[in-house]
Amino acid sequence: MPKSTSRLVVGQSVVCRKTQRLGQVLGVASPSEICTVRYADNGEVSNASAEDLRVATWEDLRGKSKTGNDTTRLMPKLRTDVPGQE
């Protein structure tokens, strides 16, 4: 298992190395390096070792399924002065 190279702080976004789940640190017990994490996928709160967590990257936060092919569609504002567009 890779060594932890970053210090985890409360509020930081992290990824579990074992399950690849994205979460947020709610608390850190310093002597034992046990972190309380709320996972983003279902809201589960559990304890994890600091060695099992890594700091989330921007790609982790955006989601790995994003390919860049998603385009933004602009929807026209409905006009209230045109009949049939209420």
Side-chain angles (χ1 to χ4, degrees), residues 2-86:
K3 277 186 142 182
S4 176
T5 58
S6 299
R7 180 170 288 220
L8 299 175
V9 295
V10 173
Q12 192 169 37
S13 295
V14 293
V15 175
C16 179
R17 294 180 195 270
K18 292 180 180 179
T19 62
Q20 297 302 312
R21 292 172 67 191
L22 181 67
Q24 183 179 23
V25 177
L26 298 179
V28 179
S30 295
S32 58
E33 296 294 324
I34 298 296
C35 300
T36 303
V37 179
R38 181 183 64 223
Y39 292 104
D41 55 358
N42 63 359
E44 175 190 357
V45 176
S46 66
N47 292 327
S49 170
E51 289 182 358
D52 292 341
L53 302 173
R54 66 173 174 82
V55 177
T57 63
W58 178 245
E59 288 79 23
D60 293 324
L61 295 174
R62 289 201 52 197
K64 294 178 182 175
S65 63
K66 298 271 186 197
T67 60
N69 294 336
D70 298 333
T71 57
T72 303
R73 281 192 335 169
L74 297 177
M75 300 300 290
K77 182 178 176 184
L78 295 178
R79 293 179 49 184
T80 56
D81 60 339
V82 178
Q85 290 194 18
E86 286 85 26

